[in-house]
Amino acid sequence: MHAPPTGVTAALPPQQSAPAGQPDAEPSPEAPHPVPWWAWALAGGLFLLYAALSLRTHARLHSHSFDLAIFEQAVRSYAVGRLPVSEVKGPDFPILGDHFSPVLAVLAPLYRIFPSARTLLVAQAALVAVSVLPLTLWARRTLGDAAAVVIGLCYGLSWGIASAIGFDFHEWAFAVPLLACSLAALGSGRLRAAAYWALPLVLVKEDLGLTVAVIGGLIAWRGGRGGRRPGIALAVTGAAWTLLTMTLVLPALSPSGSYFYASYLGGGAGAAAAGSEAAGGFGDLLFKATIGLVTPDTKVATLLTVLAPTLFLALRSPLVLIAVPGLLWRGISDNPAHWGTGYHYSLTVMPIVFAAFVDALARRGTTTAGLRRYLAGAVGVCLLLLPVHSLGQLGRPAFWRTDPRVAVAQRLMDRIPDGATVQASDGLVPHLSNRTSVSLHGWADSRPDPEWIIVDTGVAPELRWPLSVIDESIALARARSEGYRAVAQEDGFVLLNRPS
């Protein structure tokens, strides 16, 4: 048991000693404590912030085909009783062959009632917001009410969560509350609960089995003889699950017959970007596992930014080891998007580092004055980083102004009948994925010869994807030459239809 800090009102949960010669016992369960009103208010306030950010981003046509529309099409498949497919990834592309995330089926009943991309965004906001409760309640028991409020706010407003909420929906949203509950239980000495909360992570994404394995290892290490067997069992289950899904399940379900994302670990793009001449094979692997983990500088900056919200105290807790598999995967990847602080890639790191922060503060046995200094520093880092990432947009007047072009886009999309096959610009795809068979205009794997094409030619050049301005003009001219007729052309939007 870790000693509580001096001057802090709450103590760590009591531990029971096993009789001599007997395995260490699971700590006796605590009497249930009511969740204080301020904890519900904190989670509710964060939910409103997250929902406002993501829904407003979507309404401004700033959500994307990759990834919001992909996940909506998967959930839409589950909602009608089919295995998940995504037209954005390719004609009838089986999503379980891309990432093994059967947890998405949980959203199917809700989607049947509210068939919209907004359903996924609201669900994500709720999942992430509720994750503040286990961490905050654990901090309250070990550090007191005031510290719990500060830690909950710093966690809920942290840059990793803000970046993810501001960029579409992702299956990792399900992992966040599971991680928070598991780590709070592990830090409190409730080892069986920690294992039970961790195990469902294997259904969120194939690589999270390695995270489960590390949690199992910590349970075995911290639990003594009583925790060794369940901890080892959990570790073996997590590692075996990842190995099984990556080598057998995903290749069997993928149209390519392989696990696509393993290619990020194989080529030489990452080494080339960092200035290495490694050409692959053992040399490339050695480079990735050594120098490649700290080059280019973006990787080091990301690691420092991950730990900065906890004033690097997270490094004093063994719980921080749970973040290693995810950070290692990103560090050796050849995809530069994995190296930085953007997108959703740091979402699952945040509950881990903040759990390590709580654990480290409890283990240090710091004075009340020392605790206040650490918390003040955490608040300072949070406020410093907040305007740089997505949640900072909520305070900008431009974020709440609606461009008149949005109404034009909605009016033109309304002319496309339900069930039609469509190719659309990136920002328009998520607004059609609930009622049409829509794919991405200009994407090589999109379904050819759709009935409708709708393109936003007014997107700024630096935001265009996958086609440049010139390539988009060529594609539209080609479509017209192949028989598509212009149904409407207004305010930069072009709507084409192929006569039947």
Side-chain angles (χ1 to χ4, degrees):
M1 181 181 78
H2 312 310
T6 304
V8 176
T9 57
L12 288 171
Q15 305 275 353
Q16 289 184 335
S17 299
Q22 297 296 321
D24 293 347
E26 178 86 0
S28 59
E30 301 174 282
H33 295 284
V35 179
W37 67 267
W38 54 261
W40 289 116
L42 177 59
L46 290 171
F47 167 73
L48 293 177
L49 285 178
Y50 300 157
L53 174 62
S54 54
L55 291 175
R56 183 65 188 153
T57 299
H58 179 64
R60 297 173 69 209
L61 306 183
H62 289 174
S63 54
H64 304 277
S65 55
F66 285 71
D67 292 313
L68 179 56
I70 290 175
F71 285 113
E72 183 184 4
Q73 289 175 336
V75 173
R76 184 184 176 190
S77 299
Y78 280 124
V80 296
R82 298 173 52 201
L83 288 176
V85 298
S86 173
E87 193 78 359
V88 173
K89 294 287 291 185
D92 296 320
F93 186 95
I95 286 296
L96 289 177
D98 185 54
H99 285 304
F100 193 74
S101 305
V103 72
L104 292 172
V106 171
L107 294 178
L110 187 62
Y111 189 84
R112 283 186 66 91
I113 302 172
F114 305 105
S116 168
R118 292 186 290 271
T119 299
L120 277 67
L121 297 175
V122 171
Q124 176 173 257
L127 287 166
V128 177
V130 79
S131 71
V132 76
L133 291 175
L135 292 177
T136 300
L137 296 177
W138 174 31
R140 181 191 185 215
R141 292 193 300 270
T142 59
L143 304 171
D145 283 20
V149 172
V150 172
I151 290 171
L153 279 171
C154 289
Y155 165 70
L157 300 177
S158 60
W159 66 267
I161 286 178
S163 294
I165 294 294
F167 184 69
D168 292 359
F169 168 92
H170 301 90
E171 72 278 82
W172 278 355
F174 286 95
V176 177
L178 291 172
L179 280 169
C181 289
S182 179
L183 299 187
L186 180 56
S188 300
R190 295 179 289 114
L191 305 182
R192 291 189 184 91
Y196 293 150
W197 283 112
L199 190 57
L201 288 168
V202 299
L203 301 178
V204 176
K205 201 172 182 182
E206 64 278 358
D207 56 331
L208 286 176
L210 298 179
T211 301
V212 173
V214 178
I215 294 174
L218 288 177
I219 289 174
W221 175 57
R222 297 186 77 164
R225 286 173 294 174
R228 191 168 298 130
R229 183 174 295 177
I232 292 174
L234 183 67
V236 171
T237 299
W241 185 272
T242 290
L243 181 64
L244 178 68
T245 53
M246 288 186 177
T247 60
L248 294 177
V249 177
L250 285 161
L253 296 174
S254 173
S256 67
S258 63
Y259 178 48
F260 171 79
Y261 298 96
S263 64
Y264 287 155
L265 310 181
S276 170
E277 296 180 359
F282 178 76
D284 184 51
L285 180 62
L286 182 63
F287 172 86
K288 289 173 183 292
T290 53
I291 299 174
L293 292 177
V294 293
T295 54
D297 294 342
T298 303
K299 297 179 182 179
V300 178
T302 296
L303 185 59
L304 294 176
T305 310
V306 163
L307 296 170
T310 71
L311 305 182
F312 298 91
L313 279 181
L315 292 172
R316 300 196 177 197
S317 167
L319 296 184
V320 78
L321 295 172
I322 298 168
V324 169
L327 292 173
L328 186 63
W329 176 273
R330 292 168 62 184
I332 64 178
S333 169
D334 281 335
N335 185 353
H338 294 161
W339 304 341
T341 58
Y343 307 108
H344 59 289
Y345 298 114
S346 297
L347 177 60
T348 55
V349 179
M350 292 295 104
I352 298 172
V353 296
F354 275 91
F357 186 40
V358 175
D359 189 50
L361 288 173
R363 292 162 68 90
R364 285 178 62 85
T366 186
T367 64
T368 301
L371 178 62
R372 287 173 179 167
R373 286 195 295 271
Y374 287 126
L375 295 178
V379 170
V381 174
C382 177
L383 294 177
L384 182 66
L385 296 177
L386 186 60
V388 181
H389 294 279
S390 299
L391 283 172
Q393 297 180 74
L394 294 173
R396 300 170 189 164
F399 185 74
W400 300 100
R401 288 196 291 266
T402 300
D403 189 333
R405 297 183 71 249
V406 172
V408 176
Q410 294 292 350
R411 187 171 69 252
L412 296 184
M413 287 189 287
D414 287 343
R415 300 182 66 171
I416 300 174
D418 294 353
T421 57
V422 188
Q423 282 190 15
S425 293
D426 182 45
L428 303 179
V429 171
H431 295 266
L432 291 163
S433 51
N434 66 324
R435 63 181 187 85
T436 69
S437 179
V438 63
S439 55
L440 177 61
H441 183 251
W443 184 250
D445 293 328
S446 290
R447 185 181 293 277
D449 303 321
E451 298 169 288
W452 294 81
I453 297 175
I454 183 167
V455 174
D456 181 1
T457 65
V459 178
E462 65 273 13
L463 300 177
R464 286 178 172 271
W465 182 81
L467 297 179
S468 66
V469 175
I470 294 176
D471 289 338
E472 185 176 82
S473 299
I474 293 172
L476 288 173
R478 184 186 304 116
R480 288 187 173 98
S481 69
E482 292 173 352
Y484 285 87
R485 63 180 181 87
V487 176
Q489 190 163 344
E490 183 179 353
D491 210 356
F493 294 98
V494 178
L495 179 63
L496 305 179
N497 176 240
R498 185 185 63 195
S500 54

